[in-house]
Amino acid sequence: MVKARVKNAPSRKAAAAPVRERILEVAERLFAEHGMSGVGLRAISADAKVNLASIAYHFGSKDGLLEALFAQRAAPIAEERLRLLAACYEKTKRPKLEEILDAFLRPALVLGVEPRFGGPAFVKLRARLATEPEALSRKILAKAFDLSSRKFIDAIAAALPDLPRAEVEWRFHFMLGAMFYTMADSGRIQALTKGRIDPGDVRRALRHMIPYLAAGFRSAPVT
Amino acid sequence: MVKARVKNAPSRKAAAAPVRERILEVAERLFAEHGMSGVGLRAISADAKVNLASIAYHFGSKDGLLEALFAQRAAPIAEERLRLLAACYEKTKRPKLEEILDAFLRPALVLGVEPRFGGPAFVKLRARLATEPEALSRKILAKAFDLSSRKFIDAIAAALPDLPRAEVEWRFHFMLGAMFYTMADSGRIQALTKGRIDPGDVRRALRHMIPYLAAGFRSAPVT
DNA sequence: GTCTATACAGTGATAGAC
DNA sequence: GTCTATCACTGTATAGAC
């Protein structure tokens, strides 16, 4: 109450990274660690060494912060998917189902954990959002991934010309489930196997996942 | 401020259902509709027409309320699973893989939506919890389902004697993903197919799911 | 034991001074 | 752009009525 004229100590700019970037960085880490509603804006502002109100200033709201986080991370993943899919078609006119599945899953699982794609924090965060019922989550995900998902459904259908479209779609849905549950790393299968199976090992998970899914996709359609 | 001596109107007991039951009922519905942190205790107390503090009195905390909700609903599902599994082995010594998968999935999906098992609200709530990182959620789920899940892994392994144990476990994990994602009814595949595919139609989902999963389980193990 | 009223520390959000 | 101060609201705790 008395210091009045002192304000903040540093005469030059204190931190190298801009405020906005620092907030995004900290928020991504804390959200993934403790969940969207397990961490408060005050914790973020303290950790990022910014004022509480500056979060609202830069992102409008807590939801807005989440949205901005996603907008930044999701697009490169969707683009990488399409890039890999295009690469499949460059090699051969009718790529194998396994190659298509790999192009879809690898950016989400394996590349997802690389720092430039957001790291493990973002992978988990995305999985969490995928099962959330909030309209906001759905809109964010739809905006980021609808286009690429549609292209992959088409590609899978083209690779399996005898499978009815509806069956392709059902199986794509089941694949999303396996992918998100692996990304969520819920700890369930670790508990059931004394830690022998670890979905957090994304490369191994992908290696087991693709043949399993491919066999499912190739099975006879339900009559 | 003036009515003082009037209090609540009814001379007899106003509601037939006890307070505890009414809280559980309302909480289950609201939690599933808006998520654990999308609904406040005041909304629950108002909807259930009970005093705010009576929730804490009966359940200790909001988390305690969730735990009580689960304790009530999860046990019958796990029991039904084991009952159906036992029925498989009564018919024949080596039941088909499809029958085992049906015994595991049907109580969660199809029976789950019946009122006596909690209805669609609980199905969604359970799926939400399955991808939550909170230690509490994990403990609750583990307590309710670990035993039955282990028995099913054993049963599947017995039905596929040539498949390495680790491979069975990976595939069980992927199955859980498909199951939970169907239960969560995230709206993703509806958006991608203009509503043609609807995971909320649990009977149809199960019909498509079992042959797909069975084919995956039967495919050659990853070397 | 069961229920109520009320208070409290924490949340996300915001208005307005600098 | 950044800050302080404050708002309405959250889950929780408790003192006491019946």
Side-chain angles (χ1 to χ4, degrees), chain B residues 185-207:
Chain B
D185 199 2
S186 74
R188 201 80 195 81
I189 194 66
Q190 288 98 316
L192 289 170
T193 62
K194 303 195 210 307
R196 272 181 293 121
I197 306 297
D198 175 22
D201 182 347
V202 284
R203 280 176 185 79
R204 191 175 301 250
L206 189 62
R207 273 216 351 260

Side-chain angles (χ1 to χ4, degrees), chain B residues 37-61:
Chain B
S37 38
V39 52
L41 292 183
R42 283 163 180 84
I44 296 173
S45 73
D47 199 318
K49 294 188 172 65
V50 301
N51 187 276
L52 168 63
S54 66
I55 298 178
Y57 173 75
H58 284 287
F59 302 101
S61 69

Side-chain angles (χ1 to χ4, degrees), chain A residues 104-177:
Chain A
F104 185 80
L105 296 169
R106 186 172 296 275
L109 293 169
V110 179
L111 299 184
V113 302
E114 290 180 16
R116 69 185 164 115
F117 284 99
F122 181 72
V123 173
K124 281 179 138 185
L125 180 58
R126 193 182 150 209
R128 186 95 41 80
L129 242 66
T131 55
E132 213 117 356
E134 311 290 333
L136 173 73
S137 316
R138 301 188 178 201
K139 234 185 53 192
I140 296 176
L141 285 170
K143 196 170 156 190
F145 293 113
D146 265 17
L147 177 81
S148 65
S149 290
R150 278 178 216 280
K151 295 220 174 193
F152 272 89
I153 292 178
D154 291 341
I156 294 169
L160 300 168
D162 293 337
L163 200 63
R165 179 76 177 192
E167 197 70 50
V168 173
E169 291 162 347
W170 271 110
R171 292 171 182 184
F172 186 82
H173 163 79
F174 298 140
M175 175 174 72
L176 288 182

Side-chain angles (χ1 to χ4, degrees), chain A:
Chain A
M1 261 110 177
V2 197
K3 55 179 176 163
R5 265 310 71 179
V6 179
K7 293 193 150 194
N8 21 14
S11 47
R12 313 260 182 113
K13 274 282 171 64
V19 174
R20 222 190 110 96
E21 264 46 71
R22 246 179 310 145
I23 295 172
L24 280 171
E25 196 179 310
V26 170
E28 181 167 42
R29 180 165 46 81
L30 294 185
F31 279 166
E33 277 171 15
H34 309 107
M36 249 306 256
S37 38
V39 52
L41 292 183
R42 282 160 182 86
I44 297 173
S45 74
D47 199 319
K49 294 186 173 66
V50 300
N51 186 276
L52 169 62
S54 67
I55 299 179
Y57 173 76
H58 284 289
F59 303 100
S61 69
K62 197 181 185 183
D63 282 351
L65 174 55
L66 178 69
E67 206 161 349
L69 226 156
F70 241 84
Q72 184 186 234
R73 296 295 190 190
I77 292 178
E79 284 163 22
E80 182 69 6
R81 272 184 177 158
L82 292 176
R83 212 187 57 73
L84 290 176
L85 183 63
C88 288
Y89 282 101
E90 267 170 36
K91 282 197 309 184
T92 164
K93 242 179 156 169
R94 291 207 38 199
K96 270 189 71 181
L97 175 62
E98 280 82 351
E99 296 177 90
I100 298 171
L101 299 184
D102 189 274
F104 185 80
L105 296 169
R106 186 172 296 275
L109 293 169
V110 179
L111 299 184
V113 302
E114 290 180 16
R116 69 185 164 115
F117 284 99
F122 181 72
V123 173
K124 281 179 138 185
L125 180 58
R126 193 182 150 209
R128 186 95 41 80
L129 242 66
T131 55
E132 213 117 356
E134 311 290 333
L136 173 73
S137 316
R138 301 188 178 201
K139 234 185 53 192
I140 296 176
L141 285 170
K143 196 170 156 190
F145 293 113
D146 265 17
L147 177 81
S148 65
S149 290
R150 278 178 216 280
K151 295 220 174 193
F152 272 89
I153 292 178
D154 291 341
I156 294 169
L160 300 168
D162 293 337
L163 200 63
R165 179 76 177 192
E167 197 70 50
V168 173
E169 291 162 347
W170 271 110
R171 292 171 182 184
F172 186 82
H173 163 79
F174 298 140
M175 175 174 72
L176 288 182
M179 180 188 82
F180 285 131
Y181 194 58
T182 299
M183 289 165 65
D185 199 2
S186 74
R188 202 77 196 85
I189 195 67
Q190 288 98 315
L192 289 170
T193 62
K194 303 195 210 308
R196 273 180 292 122
I197 307 296
D198 176 22
D201 182 347
V202 285
R203 279 176 185 79
R204 190 174 302 250
L206 189 63
R207 272 215 351 262
H208 286 272
M209 213 168 163
I210 288 182
Y212 169 85
L213 294 174
F217 269 111
R218 287 205 181 92
S219 62
V222 172
T223 52

